[in-house]
Amino acid sequence: MESEQKDEAVEPVLRELSWMECDACGGPLRVLGHCKYLCVRCGFLRTCMDTI
């Protein structure tokens, strides 16, 4: 018996959360990669090296 294979394209999962807001202007943040968040409104960049 041959196993069935599904030829589905794997889409990357964006882990953007609606509660994440920019500390500088309050705009929405876009996830750039591990521990990097960029504000789409003002360009502020937050990393895991930042402390609150």
Side-chain angles (χ1 to χ4, degrees):
M1 279 171 87
E2 293 181 22
S3 62
E4 293 182 22
Q5 293 181 348
K6 293 182 181 180
D7 294 328
E8 296 178 5
V10 177
E11 295 287 330
V13 176
L14 298 178
R15 300 186 191 285
E16 295 182 52
L17 303 175
S18 61
W19 57 265
M20 294 174 54
E21 294 179 345
C22 175
D23 290 334
C25 74
L29 296 177
R30 172 171 288 145
V31 179
L32 295 179
H34 175 71
C35 201
K36 291 182 184 175
Y37 305 94
L38 178 69
C39 177
V40 297
R41 184 183 298 162
C42 73
F44 180 76
L45 179 65
R46 172 167 293 287
T47 68
C48 56
M49 297 301 288
D50 296 335
T51 57
I52 296 175

